[in-house]
Amino acid sequence: MFLKNTWYVGCTPNEFADKPLGRQICGEKMVFYRGPEGRVAAVEDFCPHRGAPLSLGYVEDGLLVCGYHGLKMGSDGKTAEMPGQRVRGFPCIKNFPAVERYGFVWVWPGDAALADPELIPVPEWADNPDWAYGGGLYHINCDYRLMIDNLMDLTHETYVHSTSIGQPEIDEAPVATEVNGDEVITSRYMENITAPPFWRMALKANNLADDVPVDRWQICRFTPPSHVMIEVGVAHAGHGGYDAPDEHKAASTVVDFITPETETSHWYFWGMARKFKPQDTNLTAQIREGQGKIFGEDLDMLEQQQQNLLDYPERKLLKLNIDAGGVQSRRILDRLLKAEQEQNEAASGN
Amino acid sequence: MFLKNTWYVGCTPNEFADKPLGRQICGEKMVFYRGPEGRVAAVEDFCPHRGAPLSLGYVEDGLLVCGYHGLKMGSDGKTAEMPGQRVRGFPCIKNFPAVERYGFVWVWPGDAALADPELIPVPEWADNPDWAYGGGLYHINCDYRLMIDNLMDLTHETYVHSTSIGQPEIDEAPVATEVNGDEVITSRYMENITAPPFWRMALKANNLADDVPVDRWQICRFTPPSHVMIEVGVAHAGHGGYDAPDEHKAASTVVDFITPETETSHWYFWGMARKFKPQDTNLTAQIREGQGKIFGEDLDMLEQQQQNLLDYPERKLLKLNIDAGGVQSRRILDRLLKAEQEQNEAASGN
Amino acid sequence: MFLKNTWYVGCTPNEFADKPLGRQICGEKMVFYRGPEGRVAAVEDFCPHRGAPLSLGYVEDGLLVCGYHGLKMGSDGKTAEMPGQRVRGFPCIKNFPAVERYGFVWVWPGDAALADPELIPVPEWADNPDWAYGGGLYHINCDYRLMIDNLMDLTHETYVHSTSIGQPEIDEAPVATEVNGDEVITSRYMENITAPPFWRMALKANNLADDVPVDRWQICRFTPPSHVMIEVGVAHAGHGGYDAPDEHKAASTVVDFITPETETSHWYFWGMARKFKPQDTNLTAQIREGQGKIFGEDLDMLEQQQQNLLDYPERKLLKLNIDAGGVQSRRILDRLLKAEQEQNEAASGN
């Protein structure tokens, strides 16, 4: 079950720069392309003529042309024209509200009438020259909620990412979990510790000493449906930690947009927005490469965890204090899912 | 559902030149090999001894020897002998009538008692020195009827094969569909047009000017169970088009023998028989290569169309005028399938 | 259905030398590793915390550390510790009795309380300086009982292994099948024949003429759950055959430990123990390579046989005299399975 009346990151614009992009989101097969006036559009990936995938076609004058027999689909899901045919009575396909913003394409897989672009979250780092962003995309064969769990409990860094961002002090520092309406925040502060390799690199890149004690923080914020923004950073110890002035620290936000594909697979848009040396594109590339490697370490674990859960469906998992972030996030999702179902039932007149 | 009391192209002789060939046809796993006196034979690919596939064995004195424990199977499906065993009481396996003709092996997957070689179609170009033939084989993961649809509506050439045989004039020319008993014919004539790349090549190969206006024709003939012969060609404009004398045209027949494997996969024997320069083997190879490339363009479209139809089983497809060829062909198949079922029920005494 | 209250070969020690080994045995997903004091241990491959596979973790001080969040599992299936957690109430996972012996790790996938290491079979060749052993492992996608059938009827050598150990005389020699309690023995003796290539190599390696007539023997011994030991060899003709003194023969034991993975797949630990030139490690390597090649010839046959049996579940297979070894072995398995089920029911108080 997924929330469908909400915005997900569907893709990035480069993915459909050359040709339409077919992608399944929340169980809906859709195709992304540049429609009228170059604006992004998304419709079902199903030609009403013979069921061919429209993603194998091409765009002409803002219309999506089916690559099989030339039906021209409008971004509203209505057939605009077809050679030699009257298309008025052709059945419509779904269109999915899609908005290009902050370097992503946001898509609303549910009821189009309810889609409000104002609901698209505004990342702090977006359109802000003090910040730089780099990121990538992984396809992962597991329930998207296992990824939320993963990101809301960073003790896994000590084990999964032991050579880059992990360190025993993460396990040792107490974690606090807080729920504010639909937002869940788990935070952890470590004082006077040695920076792990990734952060030594970041300090150095920011022209700061990398061999002195630091304070480190991790503040994970879940917001529905499946966005996790994580404030992370280190400051030279004794300057205020998280609140230290910029010249004593390297601070950034791990960006995680998690988009369900099926019940047991998802698209993972990962990235890092940093608040230091924003003009340094080499540094952006370097961080992107390092982060891609680090986040790739989770894939095997998550996919085999999923397989285990499918093999042992009756087993209850533990819900420890470190799991509170994921547990609370799922609770919010369950509540919103129930509300969406009731809304759907009301809409259908039952 | 497939027609089973009918002849299909099962394979080509080169496919079992070195060793037996295992292949599934209409849901029946069978093995092709050279039996007594070198005549082609086909029996179930299942050794009655322990269920091993006979296709992993070899042929000795016209008997198919199981490669596991040496049972020797006759082309009638009866075990002929086995080292140290009396084989009289061994259960029989099915044998499938198989006939080598016109460069193909024709097989009858249904009731062997009804198989009549006289029913094998006689292609106009077969055993005729005025014609040359070249072709190949693709395995495609879609219902064989999607391939019939494909071939009975050539407007797809404009989109799928836009760089070789497609041109907008195909879409623009009216199509006529006619049903004659069990035969469906769709035809289209285009006058005074520019020849597309494939046909310019063909004109040139036939020592005809390739830069003058031509008349072009496409006459698709479906006959059950799943053969589609397509007369295609171009003639220099003003000489009678389809009826022009041979010296003004390049004419050939696209040959399509479509053999179901399962409900959602088939074997596609494609080829081209041409009525010009029949001795030119280089030209045969050149056409074969070009056609193989062109027909390969359909695979992805057909397999993804199949996937879409499986994902959305409740959706009705459109039946436009351009689809009439496929629609009528399926109607004939449905009628014959019903007749075959009634025949089977009558035979079983119900 | 598998016997579970019995010892199987689970793996060889080299397979978990560097990191824990995840493997499914008799439907149980387990992980092998070196636990306390370096002794082999096996527990379920499922972390009670969040269901991650423990086989992706590592060993520390004899504890298996989960690679996801650091839970430390004991070899008894009880969580020993976890950073920042009280683990007393954590649910247990299964532990599987495991014993390292004779170069293999033996595992008991059923009720641990019943596991008695005294029940582990003692191979004649184990820990005996007169013998040398070499072997390998194949994963095969078929019911483990098809492999028992394979090994209890060596007439297949004539067909599957015609270029190495097969010869028509195997088919021609009478086979005797005997049942002694839970043991099944099929034996075959061939006199005054030409040695096939593998045995000519063995004779030569043992400094014996390879171009003289030999007597050959094959004595297959099945013992539950799925071990097949095969005494094989050749002696120069006229010296007593199987009973000939060592200086006239090359004799060895084909070792087959067959471990079910699922209903339709198994792990096949194959090898050869020989009673000549035991110090000659080059010869061990040479035999191992040859045997690996020979046994690899069975894979395709067995996997396609399995597929055929799945496709035609209603067909009865023949049970000829040559099949008696497999048939009797299955009868013993069926009897023991029934006994195990009754034992389980009794234990559960029904």
Side-chain angles (χ1 to χ4, degrees):
Chain A
M1 295 282 286
F2 325 109
L3 281 178
K4 296 186 85 163
N5 288 331
T6 188
W7 293 104
Y8 290 94
V9 170
C11 59
T12 50
N14 66 303
E15 293 187 271
F16 56 92
D18 299 328
K19 49 182 185 182
L21 170 72
R23 177 158 291 168
Q24 193 176 171
I25 292 179
C26 295
E28 303 279 354
K29 291 170 88 166
M30 55 183 77
V31 47
F32 293 93
Y33 64 101
R34 292 223 171 269
E37 295 162 42
R39 284 197 312 272
V40 64
V43 296
E44 273 189 302
D45 198 9
F46 187 100
C47 178
H49 173 217
R50 302 297 296 171
L54 292 167
S55 55
L56 291 182
Y58 56 93
V59 178
E60 199 176 273
D61 299 330
L63 297 173
L64 181 58
V65 186
C66 180
Y68 202 2
H69 302 97
L71 179 146
K72 294 186 179 179
M73 176 55 62
S75 59
D76 54 0
K78 290 179 189 159
T79 302
E81 46 182 295
M82 184 171 174
Q85 307 294 337
R86 291 187 205 163
V87 302
R88 264 225 177 145
F90 281 24
C92 294
I93 56 173
K94 287 189 206 171
N95 76 310
F96 299 99
V99 176
E100 189 174 354
R101 199 174 280 184
Y102 318 127
F104 298 100
V105 172
W106 302 80
V107 69
W108 181 279
D111 182 353
L114 303 175
D116 177 359
E118 292 298 308
L119 298 174
I120 295 172
V122 184
E124 184 191 2
W125 43 269
D127 304 325
N128 185 331
D130 295 341
W131 292 77
Y133 179 81
L137 170 62
Y138 286 136
H139 179 266
I140 308 183
N141 282 313
C142 76
D143 187 328
Y144 74 107
R145 293 173 300 183
L146 293 181
M147 180 56 96
I148 295 175
D149 293 343
N150 174 287
L151 293 161
M152 294 299 282
D153 174 14
L154 298 184
T155 64
H156 82 271
E157 293 184 358
T158 310
Y159 304 93
V160 181
H161 314 302
S162 60
T163 61
S164 53
I165 53 175
Q167 59 184 161
E169 289 86 350
I170 301 175
D171 279 355
E172 291 157 9
V175 66
T177 301
E178 193 185 338
V179 180
N180 281 334
D182 285 353
E183 186 183 41
V184 181
I185 305 164
T186 65
S187 50
R188 181 180 275 111
Y189 299 89
M190 294 154 269
E191 292 185 0
N192 217 33
I193 63 170
T194 301
F198 180 87
W199 286 112
R200 286 206 297 277
M201 179 275 284
L203 286 167
K204 213 167 170 182
N206 201 17
N207 299 329
L208 289 167
D210 66 346
D211 55 357
V212 298
V214 297
D215 298 334
R216 182 179 178 187
W217 59 90
Q218 301 175 319
I219 303 162
C220 311
R221 283 191 174 81
F222 164 85
T223 50
S226 45
H227 312 321
V228 181
M229 299 295 120
I230 310 180
E231 287 186 78
V232 290
V234 293
H236 281 174
H239 289 279
Y242 175 73
D243 295 313
D246 282 357
E247 65 264 32
H248 294 297
K249 70 185 179 189
S252 51
T253 296
V254 176
V255 175
D256 308 290
F257 295 122
I258 307 165
T259 303
E261 181 187 52
T262 67
E263 297 285 344
T264 55
S265 62
H266 71 270
W267 299 98
Y268 177 35
F269 296 88
W270 53 265
M272 184 171 271
R274 74 175 185 281
K275 214 185 163 182
F276 56 93
K277 303 267 172 195
Q279 315 303 337
D280 186 343
T281 55
N282 282 343
L283 180 59
T284 302
Q286 187 186 353
I287 288 176
R288 187 187 181 288
E289 192 190 326
Q291 195 189 10
K293 216 169 143 183
I294 292 169
F295 284 22
E297 294 170 336
D298 292 287
L299 301 196
D300 206 24
M301 181 65 78
L302 287 164
E303 297 191 343
Q304 288 199 38
Q305 180 192 19
Q306 175 70 70
Q307 194 52 53
N308 257 353
L309 299 182
L310 291 172
D311 286 346
Y312 299 93
E314 76 295 351
R315 296 206 182 171
K316 299 261 179 265
L317 303 184
L318 291 175
K319 295 177 180 178
L320 307 176
N321 59 334
I322 55 174
D323 302 311
V327 168
Q328 295 297 343
S329 301
R330 284 166 181 254
R331 233 170 248 178
I332 289 166
L333 285 176
D334 287 344
R335 174 164 50 77
L336 295 174
L337 268 166
K338 206 178 155 213
E340 188 171 299
Q341 283 169 341
E342 287 168 359
Q343 194 178 30
N344 288 343
E345 282 161 18
S348 69
N350 293 327
Chain B
M1 295 281 287
F2 324 109
L3 282 178
K4 295 186 86 163
N5 288 331
T6 187
W7 293 103
Y8 290 94
V9 169
C11 58
T12 50
N14 65 303
E15 292 187 271
F16 56 92
D18 299 328
K19 48 183 185 182
L21 170 72
R23 177 158 290 167
Q24 194 175 173
I25 291 178
C26 295
E28 303 278 354
K29 292 170 86 166
M30 55 183 77
V31 46
F32 292 93
Y33 64 100
R34 292 224 170 267
E37 293 163 43
R39 284 196 312 272
V40 65
V43 296
E44 273 190 302
D45 197 9
F46 187 100
C47 178
H49 173 217
R50 302 297 297 171
L54 291 166
S55 55
L56 292 182
Y58 56 93
V59 177
E60 200 176 271
D61 299 331
L63 296 173
L64 181 58
V65 185
C66 179
Y68 203 0
H69 303 97
L71 179 147
K72 293 186 179 180
M73 176 57 61
S75 59
D76 53 1
K78 291 181 189 157
T79 302
E81 47 182 294
M82 184 171 176
Q85 307 294 337
R86 291 187 205 163
V87 301
R88 263 227 177 143
F90 281 24
C92 294
I93 57 172
K94 287 189 206 170
N95 76 309
F96 299 100
V99 176
E100 189 173 353
R101 199 174 279 182
Y102 318 127
F104 297 100
V105 172
W106 303 80
V107 68
W108 181 279
D111 183 352
L114 303 174
D116 177 0
E118 291 298 308
L119 298 174
I120 296 173
V122 184
E124 184 192 2
W125 42 270
D127 304 325
N128 185 332
D130 295 342
W131 292 78
Y133 179 81
L137 170 62
Y138 286 137
H139 179 267
I140 309 183
N141 283 313
C142 77
D143 187 327
Y144 74 106
R145 293 172 301 184
L146 294 181
M147 180 55 96
I148 295 175
D149 292 344
N150 173 288
L151 292 161
M152 294 299 285
D153 174 15
L154 297 184
T155 65
H156 82 271
E157 292 183 0
T158 310
Y159 304 93
V160 181
H161 314 302
S162 60
T163 61
S164 52
I165 53 176
Q167 59 184 160
E169 289 86 348
I170 300 175
D171 279 354
E172 291 157 10
V175 65
T177 300
E178 192 186 338
V179 179
N180 280 333
D182 287 351
E183 187 184 41
V184 180
I185 305 164
T186 67
S187 50
R188 182 179 274 112
Y189 300 89
M190 294 155 269
E191 292 184 2
N192 217 32
I193 64 170
T194 302
F198 179 88
W199 286 113
R200 286 207 298 276
M201 180 274 284
L203 286 167
K204 211 167 171 181
N206 201 17
N207 300 328
L208 290 167
D210 65 346
D211 55 356
V212 299
V214 297
D215 299 333
R216 182 181 178 187
W217 59 90
Q218 301 174 319
I219 304 162
C220 312
R221 284 192 172 81
F222 163 85
T223 49
S226 45
H227 312 321
V228 180
M229 300 295 119
I230 311 181
E231 287 186 80
V232 290
V234 293
H236 281 176
H239 289 280
Y242 174 76
D243 296 313
D246 283 356
E247 66 265 30
H248 294 297
K249 69 186 179 190
S252 51
T253 297
V254 176
V255 175
D256 308 289
F257 294 121
I258 307 164
T259 303
E261 181 188 50
T262 67
E263 298 285 344
T264 55
S265 62
H266 71 270
W267 299 97
Y268 177 35
F269 297 88
W270 53 265
M272 183 171 272
R274 76 177 185 279
K275 215 186 163 182
F276 57 92
K277 303 268 173 193
Q279 314 303 336
D280 187 342
T281 55
N282 282 342
L283 180 58
T284 303
Q286 186 185 355
I287 289 176
R288 187 188 181 286
E289 192 191 324
Q291 196 190 8
K293 217 168 141 182
I294 293 169
F295 284 21
E297 294 171 336
D298 292 287
L299 300 196
D300 207 24
M301 182 64 79
L302 286 165
E303 296 192 343
Q304 288 198 39
Q305 181 192 19
Q306 175 70 70
Q307 193 53 54
N308 257 354
L309 299 183
L310 290 173
D311 287 345
Y312 300 93
E314 75 295 349
R315 297 205 182 171
K316 300 260 180 266
L317 303 183
L318 291 175
K319 295 176 180 177
L320 308 176
N321 59 334
I322 55 172
D323 302 310
V327 168
Q328 295 297 341
S329 301
R330 285 166 180 252
R331 232 170 248 178
I332 289 166
L333 284 176
D334 288 344
R335 174 164 50 76
L336 294 175
L337 267 166
K338 205 176 155 214
E340 188 171 299
Q341 283 168 340
E342 288 168 0
Q343 193 177 31
N344 288 343
E345 282 161 18
S348 68
N350 294 328
Chain C
M1 296 281 285
F2 324 109
L3 281 179
K4 295 185 88 164
N5 288 331
T6 186
W7 293 103
Y8 290 95
V9 170
C11 59
T12 49
N14 64 304
E15 292 187 271
F16 56 92
D18 299 328
K19 49 182 185 181
L21 170 72
R23 176 158 291 167
Q24 193 176 172
I25 291 179
C26 294
E28 302 279 354
K29 290 169 88 166
M30 55 183 77
V31 45
F32 292 93
Y33 63 102
R34 292 223 170 268
E37 294 162 41
R39 284 197 311 272
V40 65
V43 296
E44 273 190 301
D45 198 9
F46 187 100
C47 178
H49 174 217
R50 303 297 296 171
L54 292 167
S55 55
L56 292 181
Y58 56 93
V59 178
E60 200 176 272
D61 299 331
L63 296 173
L64 182 58
V65 185
C66 179
Y68 202 1
H69 302 97
L71 179 146
K72 294 187 179 179
M73 177 55 63
S75 59
D76 53 0
K78 291 179 188 159
T79 303
E81 46 182 296
M82 184 171 175
Q85 306 294 336
R86 292 188 204 162
V87 301
R88 262 226 178 145
F90 282 24
C92 294
I93 57 172
K94 286 189 208 171
N95 76 310
F96 299 100
V99 176
E100 190 174 353
R101 201 175 277 183
Y102 319 126
F104 297 100
V105 172
W106 302 81
V107 68
W108 181 279
D111 183 350
L114 302 175
D116 178 359
E118 291 298 308
L119 298 175
I120 295 173
V122 184
E124 184 191 2
W125 42 270
D127 304 325
N128 184 331
D130 294 341
W131 293 77
Y133 179 81
L137 170 62
Y138 285 135
H139 179 266
I140 308 183
N141 283 314
C142 77
D143 187 327
Y144 74 106
R145 293 173 301 184
L146 294 180
M147 180 55 95
I148 295 175
D149 293 344
N150 174 287
L151 293 162
M152 294 299 285
D153 174 15
L154 297 184
T155 64
H156 81 271
E157 294 184 359
T158 309
Y159 304 93
V160 181
H161 314 302
S162 61
T163 62
S164 52
I165 53 175
Q167 59 184 160
E169 289 86 350
I170 300 176
D171 279 356
E172 292 158 10
V175 66
T177 300
E178 193 186 338
V179 180
N180 281 333
D182 286 353
E183 186 183 42
V184 181
I185 304 164
T186 65
S187 50
R188 182 179 274 110
Y189 299 89
M190 294 154 268
E191 292 184 1
N192 216 33
I193 63 170
T194 301
F198 179 87
W199 285 113
R200 286 206 298 276
M201 179 275 283
L203 286 167
K204 212 167 169 180
N206 200 16
N207 300 327
L208 289 167
D210 67 345
D211 56 355
V212 299
V214 298
D215 298 334
R216 181 179 178 187
W217 59 90
Q218 300 174 320
I219 304 162
C220 312
R221 283 193 173 78
F222 164 85
T223 49
S226 45
H227 312 322
V228 181
M229 299 296 119
I230 312 180
E231 287 185 80
V232 290
V234 294
H236 281 175
H239 289 280
Y242 175 74
D243 295 312
D246 282 357
E247 66 263 30
H248 294 298
K249 70 186 178 189
S252 52
T253 297
V254 176
V255 175
D256 308 289
F257 294 122
I258 306 164
T259 302
E261 180 187 52
T262 68
E263 298 286 343
T264 55
S265 62
H266 71 270
W267 300 97
Y268 177 35
F269 296 88
W270 53 265
M272 183 171 273
R274 76 176 184 280
K275 214 184 164 183
F276 56 94
K277 302 268 171 193
Q279 314 304 336
D280 186 342
T281 54
N282 282 343
L283 179 58
T284 303
Q286 187 186 354
I287 289 177
R288 188 189 182 286
E289 193 190 324
Q291 195 190 7
K293 216 168 143 184
I294 292 169
F295 284 22
E297 293 170 337
D298 293 287
L299 300 196
D300 207 26
M301 182 65 77
L302 287 165
E303 296 191 342
Q304 289 199 39
Q305 180 192 19
Q306 174 70 68
Q307 194 53 54
N308 257 355
L309 299 183
L310 291 172
D311 286 347
Y312 300 94
E314 75 294 349
R315 296 204 182 171
K316 298 260 179 267
L317 303 183
L318 292 176
K319 295 176 180 178
L320 309 176
N321 59 332
I322 55 172
D323 301 311
V327 168
Q328 296 297 342
S329 301
R330 285 166 179 252
R331 232 170 248 178
I332 289 166
L333 284 176
D334 288 344
R335 174 164 49 77
L336 295 175
L337 268 166
K338 207 180 153 211
E340 188 172 298
Q341 283 169 340
E342 287 167 1
Q343 193 178 31
N344 289 343
E345 283 161 18
S348 69
N350 294 327

